[in-house]
Amino acid sequence: MQENVSHITNEAWEKLIQQLRYVQENSVYYQRLFKEQGFDSHQANTSDFLNLPYTRKQDLAKFNDDFIAVKPREIIEYVTTSGTLGDPVTFALNENDLQRLALNEAQSFQLIGVGENDVVQITTTLDKRFIAGLAYFLGLRKIGAGIVRVGAGSPALQWDSIQRFKPSYLIVVPSFLIQLAKYAEANDIDINTSSIKGAICIGEALRDEKHELNTLGKKIKSLWDIELFSSYASTEMCTAFTECKKHKGLHVPENLIFTEILNENGEEVQPGEIGELVITTLGVETLPLVRYATGDLVKKLKITCDCESSSALISSVLGRKQQLIKYKGTSIYPQQIVQLMINLPELQEYQIQVTSNELDTDKLSIVIPEEASESLQHQLKEILKANLRVTPLLKLLPLDELKASIFPEGSRKPVRFLDLRKA
């Protein structure tokens, strides 16, 4: 493991050691792990901490109940992960965790500039065991802002709510903004005279590793001239990383989470380099995590922001380590293809599939409706070849079959990437 411990400040270590002592006393999973590793939080130093093995998603799935660190009667809320990379994992929260969640989102909203005089429309689901909508609702309550709970989908209801309640911000999956803009155009709504001045975007990257708007971000701005704020969060972290108005990177809420950005050797990357984000939650009581490897690849930014926050900055998520595709000698992440598909709005439905060929190397296909014209298929091939330097296979399916694969029953998100490789 790594030897360099200089990135842990005394202040950060004090918060870390407090959390480590809590999990050692209350989490069956970490009691077992610490004993196996000969780790004692009452005598440990930073080097001991950095030699602890990672906790991974499969550990959570296999030993889910052993991570719970409070009595069952203390649990108030149950949620699950989205299951993007496997079966959903159960998470639970007690009263203190809900208060921490509210503080986390309140801090994020304050970075953006949302205050008690604003009205915010939530276009993400607040049900289906999803933590995000709940978190936004609690955070907005904490800062005293007005709230419009519309939920996911339904452009007509979204626009009725915008015109009726005059919200100043939307909380939204960014690609849905394109649907809202197209609905407005089709229904003679002048979006640029609406009350909306900004969108807090979740679930999809808006910016590249230089933190400039990517293809999706530029497409949205060309349709709707509002300020776009990136954010990044997950159920496991119970924490959000958010842009401020300076748009120089995502701020790390260092009072709520300890972060490491590590290379393949488990060493902290240098500023400007890309690595996997590994987190330790601070202040989480019900299901705390120590050195949890998120699988998300981010860049450690060397700049500091000249806003009121002095926290460290990271880039948006650039890809998922587990989703890396090696195709014809080229490294590709599904997110790269998703960004390219924005250039073909005629292709509303598509799925990226990767399988193993007879040599156990990756075989990459883009599945599109068989109704797509030859001209559209040719355009897609040209765009992929020009930007990826290789051309994935095109696979045609009847639209109904394709939709069934993209929107499987019980899924909270469209499945745009299907990994069918051998384990």
Side-chain angles (χ1 to χ4, degrees):
M1 298 296 287
Q2 60 189 14
E3 297 298 329
N4 177 20
V5 298
S6 61
H7 64 287
I8 304 184
T9 64
N10 289 337
E11 182 181 0
W13 179 242
E14 287 178 12
K15 294 173 184 173
L16 263 176
I17 203 66
Q18 183 178 349
Q19 185 72 0
L20 291 169
R21 288 171 182 167
Y22 174 83
V23 299
Q24 184 170 336
E25 291 170 10
N26 297 282
S27 168
V28 171
Y29 179 83
Y30 286 112
Q31 286 171 353
R32 184 166 63 238
L33 178 69
F34 288 2
K35 186 175 181 179
E36 289 171 357
Q37 298 296 315
F39 178 88
D40 184 352
S41 61
H42 296 277
Q43 300 177 7
N45 57 34
T46 53
S47 180
D48 297 329
F49 167 74
L50 292 172
N51 279 292
L52 285 172
Y54 306 137
T55 300
R56 298 189 182 276
K57 188 69 165 278
Q58 53 265 39
D59 299 318
L60 277 171
K62 186 176 181 180
F63 303 107
N64 210 168
D65 290 346
D66 288 352
F67 281 89
I68 300 294
V70 300
K71 292 180 173 60
R73 59 181 170 77
E74 292 183 40
I75 296 173
I76 295 174
E77 185 78 28
Y78 289 94
V79 297
T80 56
T81 61
S82 61
T84 304
L85 295 177
D87 292 333
V89 173
T90 298
F91 270 73
L93 302 93
N94 67 3
E95 178 61 34
N96 286 339
D97 293 332
L98 290 174
Q99 293 296 333
R100 178 190 175 281
L101 197 61
L103 172 63
N104 163 73
E105 293 300 338
Q107 289 180 181
S108 294
F109 288 130
Q110 287 162 348
L111 270 174
I112 288 166
V114 179
E116 61 182 8
N117 295 321
D118 287 301
V119 175
V120 180
Q121 185 161 316
I122 303 176
T123 76
T124 59
T125 183
L126 274 76
D127 54 8
K128 298 183 180 178
R129 308 184 313 213
F130 203 31
I131 197 172
L134 171 68
Y136 303 130
F137 179 77
L138 293 174
L140 291 168
R141 285 282 311 270
K142 190 170 183 67
I143 64 175
I147 306 170
V148 185
R149 294 183 294 110
V150 181
S154 187
L157 182 59
Q158 301 291 350
W159 274 110
D160 176 74
S161 301
I162 291 170
Q163 294 171 322
R164 187 184 298 267
F165 304 114
K166 304 292 188 295
S168 41
Y169 292 92
L170 297 175
I171 297 173
V172 62
V173 175
S175 55
F176 187 56
L177 289 170
I178 296 174
Q179 294 185 45
L180 290 179
K182 289 181 177 178
Y183 180 91
E185 182 181 14
N187 291 273
D188 297 321
I189 299 171
D190 185 355
I191 59 176
N192 289 315
T193 60
S194 75
S195 60
I196 303 298
K197 61 183 182 181
I200 300 142
C201 297
I202 69 164
E204 296 171 341
L206 275 177
R207 300 183 185 273
D208 59 24
E209 61 185 76
K210 296 179 181 177
H211 224 66
E212 297 174 351
L213 287 175
N214 59 20
T215 305
L216 176 58
K218 289 175 182 175
K219 177 69 173 178
I220 295 167
K221 286 289 284 185
S222 72
L223 296 170
W224 199 349
D225 189 21
I226 55 177
E227 192 167 7
L228 302 175
F229 295 92
S230 290
S231 69
Y232 159 57
S234 73
T235 305
E236 295 93 330
M237 297 189 298
C238 291
T239 314
F241 301 68
T242 311
E243 275 189 302
C244 70
K245 285 184 171 291
K246 302 293 182 179
H247 301 288
K248 289 185 175 181
L250 300 178
H251 283 269
V252 178
E254 293 169 334
N255 60 324
L256 300 174
I257 199 164
F258 177 77
T259 59
E260 304 170 68
I261 304 175
L262 306 178
N263 63 21
E264 290 290 342
N265 298 320
E267 300 163 337
E268 185 77 13
V269 301
Q270 296 301 309
E273 294 180 346
I274 296 170
E276 180 180 10
L277 181 67
V278 175
I279 62 96
T280 299
T281 52
L282 302 175
V284 171
E285 294 185 359
T286 305
L287 209 156
L289 294 174
V290 176
R291 303 205 81 210
Y292 178 74
T294 65
D296 293 332
L297 299 175
V298 299
K299 177 181 278 190
K300 185 176 185 177
L301 300 182
K302 52 189 168 186
I303 59 172
T304 54
C305 191
D306 52 4
C307 71
E308 293 180 1
S309 174
S310 59
S311 66
L313 297 172
I314 63 171
S315 72
S316 297
V317 174
L318 306 174
R320 284 192 164 177
K321 189 176 181 181
Q322 194 174 332
Q323 293 180 341
L324 174 65
I325 302 163
K326 288 279 192 178
Y327 184 64
K328 295 182 178 179
T330 301
S331 296
I332 301 169
Y333 287 100
Q335 185 61 29
Q336 293 173 262
I337 299 173
V338 171
Q339 292 297 321
L340 297 176
M341 300 302 286
I342 296 163
N343 295 303
L344 291 172
E346 306 95 318
L347 273 176
Q348 289 291 313
E349 303 302 349
Y350 65 90
Q351 190 175 62
I352 304 157
Q353 293 185 359
V354 60
T355 58
S356 300
N357 62 20
E358 62 277 4
L359 299 175
D360 281 344
T361 58
D362 294 345
K363 179 181 176 183
L364 177 62
S365 303
I366 310 297
V367 187
I368 61 174
E370 63 181 12
E371 295 85 351
S373 67
E374 288 188 11
S375 172
L376 191 56
Q377 292 178 43
H378 178 73
Q379 277 183 271
L380 176 57
K381 287 179 181 178
E382 290 298 308
I383 288 172
L384 293 170
K385 184 177 181 180
N387 290 275
L388 301 178
R389 300 189 301 280
V390 293
T391 307
L393 300 170
L394 278 194
K395 187 175 172 183
L396 304 179
L397 268 186
L399 182 58
D400 288 347
E401 288 185 35
L402 178 56
K403 282 187 173 180
S405 183
I406 296 170
F407 303 101
E409 187 176 351
S411 177
R412 292 195 304 227
K413 298 179 182 178
V415 180
R416 293 296 178 193
F417 174 60
L418 190 60
D419 194 339
L420 300 171
R421 289 174 286 192
K422 298 175 185 176

